[in-house]
Amino acid sequence: MTLIPNILQQLKGISVHNILVSIEESYERISLEQSKWYKKTDFLCPDGCGKCCQNFEPSLFSGEVLYMAAWLLENQRETALQIADGNFPFDNGEKTCLLFNPNSSYHCSIYGGRPFICRLFGASSFRVKSGEKMWRPCKFFPADLLKSHNPPLEKRQYAEEETIKVLGAIPPLMSDLTESSSPDGETHPVREVLPNAIRHLLWIISMNDNDNPNGSPSNTPLAA
């Protein structure tokens, strides 16, 4: 089920609609593949951790910044309009994501619209030059919890065979799950691209308003 039904409806018939559907399908696939991994391994992040969000700001592919903008317009419209004006909800300085809520145990204020890196961190594998799959436990995962695992996890990188031996499975391959992210492969920090993406989507929606004669834009302001 889509998390952005109204936005998709307003964008029906144009290329942005297809981009958003493709990104959402990739996110759904990540969730499905990771759920299999979690079920087999029971290797979950400690409750309320959020350390991977601190001193880190995601850089977004063009497709996922559009999805983040669409998710905000659908689910947190007031916040989206504030961001479109350059006002992010949290003042976390230059190094930490401005969508990170330090006062909530859930931390991410846009969890349903979060990007690939936030979905895959610690729960995906990658290929080295030899082509072999590798997995790294999250670098913030408490060392005592890793050591208390049976068998103990004492290394910070495991080959596929080792991962299956100690956990029973290896997480999904990152490169397989990010294929539709961006045609150019370039990424840009959230604070640099999200405001413009929200304004851009609002403009496209206004131009695609089929209730207006001759496709003329509505009088809806781009931001409150």
Side-chain angles (χ1 to χ4, degrees), residues 1 8 21 44 53 74 88 109 170 173 185 191 201 207 213:
M1 179 191 293
L8 288 179
V21 169
L44 302 170
C53 303
E74 178 86 32
F88 280 81
S109 66
I170 189 165
L173 192 63
R191 71 186 71 213
L201 274 186
M207 295 297 292

Side-chain angles (χ1 to χ4, degrees), residues 27 29 47 52 75 105 109 129-130 144 158 184 188 204:
Y27 288 167
R29 184 182 171 200
D47 289 342
C52 59
N75 298 281
S105 59
S109 66
K129 290 182 179 180
S130 64
D144 57 334
Y158 288 83
D184 56 19
H188 303 277
I204 292 174

Side-chain angles (χ1 to χ4, degrees), residues 72-90:
L72 278 162
L73 286 168
E74 178 86 32
N75 298 281
Q76 298 180 17
R77 190 173 179 85
E78 259 194 52
T79 299
L81 296 178
Q82 291 172 6
I83 293 172
D85 280 340
N87 302 311
F88 280 81
F90 305 99

